[in-house]
Amino acid sequence: MIHIDRLPCPGILANKQEEWQQKYEEKLKESPKARPDSSKYAHKDIRKQLWAMSHGKCFYCESPLVDTPKEVDHFIEVAADSSMAYEWRNLYLACQNCNDKLPHGAIPVSEVLDPCRDSDKEIRSNITYEDEVIRAIPGSPKGMKTIEKYRLNTELLDSKRAKWLNKIAKAIIDIQADQIKEGRTCCNEEEARRLQLFMQPDSPYSLMSTIYIGKIKFLSYLCKQ
């Protein structure tokens, strides 16, 4: 998870939100457990804007969503607050794993991290990684509840993150080999750039990548010269 800046509300939602919300409230009167219309809150223009916000990644776990199912999630679930069904600030983009989250009754969103509200500093003060395994910072109930609510510690996500770490490890091994061959003790500009790419916001699992690379002493400061 990293901080995400929210882009402006898509035109389709700005124009239709009031109408859509009214129809949903009328539907709720007949059927209290009715769901809002996903063809509306997940309209292609809305999905496109959410995609741009997160660089094509899940808001919660940072898994890339290219060629994989992607779902528009209500951060505050409609079961908890139906008035947020078509509210732009309440719509997030999620993978199927994270959208299959624990309900509000189990863990309310007030007790977890919010990528659109919390800064990167706040996020890192609550969660970290040991290689591909996500962990709560010791003493952080918010970190523990965030991991639990969005199922960020599943075997599926561990497997995906491990594959990404293998790419980083290979890059590091290649860099070390070149340094030994050339008698260098630090990264050159091109090597530093290669590693920085793993840590950019548009890269998968950028928080994990930053923590992993930062733990390697000769890379932690990318050998400033």
Side-chain angles (χ1 to χ4, degrees):
M1 183 183 291
I2 59 173
H3 175 72
I4 295 173
D5 291 319
R6 187 164 289 276
L7 294 176
C9 179
I12 182 67
L13 184 56
N15 294 330
K16 293 287 189 178
Q17 179 182 355
E18 186 175 345
E19 174 189 333
W20 291 347
Q21 184 65 38
Q22 183 178 354
K23 288 182 178 179
Y24 178 49
E25 290 175 358
E26 292 172 355
K27 188 177 179 180
L28 283 172
K29 291 178 182 178
E30 299 176 2
S31 178
K33 294 185 178 181
R35 294 283 304 169
D37 188 344
S38 62
S39 69
K40 294 181 173 61
Y41 70 76
H43 184 277
K44 62 181 180 63
D45 291 350
I46 296 174
R47 292 161 66 96
K48 182 178 180 181
Q49 193 79 318
L50 293 172
W51 175 277
M53 284 170 55
S54 67
H55 306 285
K57 300 188 296 183
C58 173
F59 276 39
Y60 304 110
C61 71
E62 288 197 82
S63 292
L65 296 175
V66 177
D67 298 326
T68 190
K70 52 195 76 66
E71 301 175 354
V72 176
D73 172 52
H74 292 93
F75 183 72
I76 299 175
E77 297 137 48
V78 293
D81 187 349
S82 61
S83 69
M84 300 294 285
Y86 298 101
E87 185 67 44
W88 170 235
R89 69 180 184 274
N90 193 44
L91 301 180
Y92 290 42
L93 195 65
C95 65
Q96 287 184 325
N97 178 85
C98 293
N99 201 26
D100 185 24
K101 58 189 177 184
L102 296 186
H104 177 83
I107 300 178
V109 294
S110 60
E111 298 179 4
V112 301
L113 290 166
D114 177 353
C116 291
R117 177 197 64 212
D118 295 317
S119 66
D120 285 329
K121 181 179 179 180
E122 175 68 11
I123 292 169
R124 289 195 63 170
S125 70
N126 286 279
I127 57 174
T128 189
Y129 287 88
E130 295 177 4
D131 294 331
E132 76 277 11
V133 179
I134 191 169
R135 300 287 193 195
I137 295 292
S140 171
K142 180 177 285 188
M144 293 183 66
K145 289 180 180 180
T146 299
I147 293 169
E148 185 178 358
K149 184 174 181 68
Y150 297 107
R151 304 173 64 245
L152 299 178
N153 57 353
T154 61
E155 290 184 5
L156 173 63
L157 286 178
D158 281 349
S159 176
K160 290 181 177 180
R161 291 189 293 246
K163 288 180 180 179
W164 185 250
L165 284 185
N166 285 339
K167 292 183 179 182
I168 299 177
K170 184 179 185 305
I172 291 171
I173 290 170
D174 291 343
I175 288 171
Q176 288 177 316
D178 288 340
Q179 289 178 350
I180 293 171
K181 181 179 179 181
E182 298 171 12
R184 292 186 285 113
T185 59
C186 64
C187 300
N188 59 33
E189 184 176 341
E190 190 279 330
E191 290 167 343
R193 185 194 66 82
R194 286 172 60 191
L195 293 174
Q196 287 168 339
L197 288 175
F198 288 108
M199 300 184 283
Q200 294 300 303
D202 59 350
S203 291
Y205 315 116
S206 59
L207 174 57
M208 178 191 69
S209 302
T210 299
I211 292 172
Y212 180 79
I213 292 172
K215 288 179 179 178
I216 301 174
K217 290 183 179 180
F218 89 103
L219 297 173
S220 59
Y221 58 102
L222 292 180
C223 300
K224 296 179 181 179
Q225 299 183 51

